[in-house]
Amino acid sequence: MTSPLLLPYEGPRLSLRNRIAMAPMTRGRADDVTGVPNPLTARYYAQRAGAGLIVSEGIWADVLGKSGPGVPGLVTEAQVAGWRQVTDAVHVAGGTIFAQLWHVGRMTHPFILPDGATPLAPSAVRIESERIYTNAGNVDHVTPRAMTTAEVEGAIGAFAREARNAIRAGFDGVEIHGANGYLIQQFLAENTNLRTDRFGGSRENRLRFALDVVEAVAAEVGPGRVGLRISPDNPENEIAERDPRGTYRALVDALDPLGLAYLHIIERGAYQALADLRPRWSGTLIGNYNGPEATPLGAGEEVLAAGLADVFSFGRLFISNPDLPARLATGAPLAAHDPATVYGGGAEGYVDYPDEAVPAIR
Ligand SMILES: Cc1cc2nc3c(=O)[nH]c(=O)nc-3n(C[C@H](O)[C@H](O)[C@H](O)COP(=O)(O)O)c2cc1C
């Protein structure tokens, strides 16, 4: 029987050759000074174009939203030109690629930002229990500076500008990164948002930044080219959501009428987000499971068979199996990735994992 992951997908605003998405993965290989993607990046994504949908690594919308060494941007003309090489290569290979729009808020450090700038966040709440990787090694987090209301509005504008640049660079659409404890989730969560202006306090106010970003991006490039990624009840990066069910139900109810390309839900924590939110979302839903080990193909198949999502995204399996859908089709074995070459460096562990199954089905 054909795996449900291999069936073509015809959604309301999205047509994909199969239901396997490549999840966004930071690989830290851009030029650290210019934020321009590495020339190898075009080959890396083109090798993975057999995915129904590729979501790019997180790309900063503003240099103050950069998470670490070698993370690319989509602000300058040189960055747009660099990404154009990538999207052209993916399209020649028959793939579809969305750009992930990213601002990390407090999840950065003066050693990463230009001129030793202090990270910005909804509120001045420091990460206490984890350290952060910089060019000087792992260091303690600093206390971020609470954004002024004008800076919050500026960040919304930065997402919209990045979306416009993504389309100029040839991306088929954009995915707003609202997950994993970065800026958007820092506004959603009670422990990181202590604001007293219209972006904090009540649930309605905590949702405002996410909704304003989605609306600004949709106004810029059209809602049918916009996805949003969320991780309800995410326990990582010192996020503590007091009421994930209430928060994400309200968010999804507000988003559903907008006609977005998709919602991408990472299953985290104790809250069963896919099952709870699926009936409230009329558009395409992409599932993902973030656990300690790479999620196996069978987990995605089960989620699709249960009707909990339309498409399922895999991250770590795509690092070492560039031809993942073809391997599933042919039953070829899956390779494990080398953790030492995930971030930074050059071709090794990036574009040198072999395509095994592709020749067998060509
Ligand atoms: C090396 C690496 C980098 C990642 N970078 C991002 C990122 O830039 N944006 C994002 O939304 N998620 C990121 N993630 C999370 C993945 O998209 C995905 O949710 C996670 O790996 C779980 O899926 P998997 O079990 O199939 O790997 C990253 C994960 C890994 C392993």
Side-chain angles (χ1 to χ4, degrees), residues 13-272:
R13 285 162 293 274
L14 202 62
S15 297
L16 306 174
R17 56 157 80 165
N18 59 51
R19 291 154 188 255
I20 299 177
M22 176 176 166
M25 279 184 296
T26 294
R27 304 299 309 272
R29 281 166 167 86
D31 184 292
D32 195 41
V33 175
T34 65
V36 173
N38 189 310
L40 294 172
T41 301
R43 201 194 310 166
Y44 166 72
Y45 283 110
Q47 287 172 338
R48 289 155 180 81
L53 171 69
I54 295 173
V55 185
S56 80
E57 61 211 273
I59 311 174
W60 41 265
D62 181 304
V63 72
L64 292 179
K66 178 181 174 185
S67 70
V71 174
L74 195 37
V75 172
T76 68
E77 286 309 305
Q79 291 161 358
V80 172
W83 284 111
R84 169 58 83 173
Q85 314 267 314
V86 175
T87 61
D88 281 350
V90 169
H91 291 147
V92 165
T96 299
I97 182 166
F98 276 42
Q100 196 185 47
L101 314 183
W102 199 17
H103 191 308
V104 298
R106 68 176 183 164
M107 289 295 302
T108 183
H109 191 276
F111 292 172
I112 295 165
L113 300 179
D115 307 321
T118 300
L120 295 180
S123 302
V125 180
R126 191 171 87 98
I127 298 191
E128 306 283 345
S129 63
E130 294 160 25
R131 308 188 89 204
I132 180 162
Y133 180 73
T134 71
N135 283 329
N138 285 325
V139 295
D140 287 337
H141 279 274
V142 299
T143 303
R145 182 167 68 72
M147 298 162 89
T148 62
T149 305
E151 283 169 332
V152 177
E153 287 159 357
I156 295 165
F159 275 102
R161 253 193 324 279
E162 184 180 20
R164 183 165 68 231
N165 283 342
I167 299 303
R168 287 173 54 225
F171 284 98
D172 299 295
V174 298
E175 176 178 287
I176 298 164
H177 193 345
N180 297 350
Y182 298 107
L183 185 61
I184 290 177
Q185 197 171 20
Q186 291 162 30
F187 274 93
L188 292 173
E190 292 89 343
N191 73 320
T192 43
N193 184 347
L194 311 176
R195 300 180 71 86
T196 52
D197 65 359
R198 69 181 195 280
F199 293 101
S202 64
R203 175 192 295 156
E204 190 187 349
N205 282 357
R206 283 184 290 105
L207 293 179
R208 193 177 313 278
F209 183 71
L211 293 173
D212 282 2
V213 168
V214 173
E215 280 170 18
V217 167
E220 199 65 50
V221 302
R225 291 200 283 199
V226 179
L228 173 68
R229 190 170 214 220
I230 54 174
S231 55
D233 203 20
N234 157 54
E236 120 190 289
N237 295 334
E238 273 183 26
I239 288 290
E241 293 181 315
R242 219 176 290 144
D243 176 24
R245 191 178 297 267
T247 298
Y248 288 92
R249 283 184 173 180
L251 180 69
V252 168
D253 289 347
L255 291 173
D256 193 51
L258 300 184
L260 300 185
Y262 65 81
L263 184 65
H264 190 172
I265 298 181
I266 308 175
E267 207 54 274
R268 310 261 2 215
Y271 170 46
Q272 296 298 299

Side-chain angles (χ1 to χ4, degrees), residues 2-8 18-20 297-298 300-301 304 311-312 314 328:
T2 310
S3 164
L5 289 167
L6 294 172
L7 300 175
N18 59 51
R19 291 154 188 255
I20 299 177
L297 289 167
E301 289 175 333
L304 296 198
V311 174
F312 198 87
F314 298 93
L328 175 60

Side-chain angles (χ1 to χ4, degrees), residues 273-296:
L274 279 173
D276 192 50
L277 298 173
R278 174 66 158 173
R280 309 179 92 89
W281 181 249
S282 60
T284 298
L285 204 153
I286 305 179
N288 178 264
Y289 178 73
N290 197 354
E293 305 287 335
T295 307

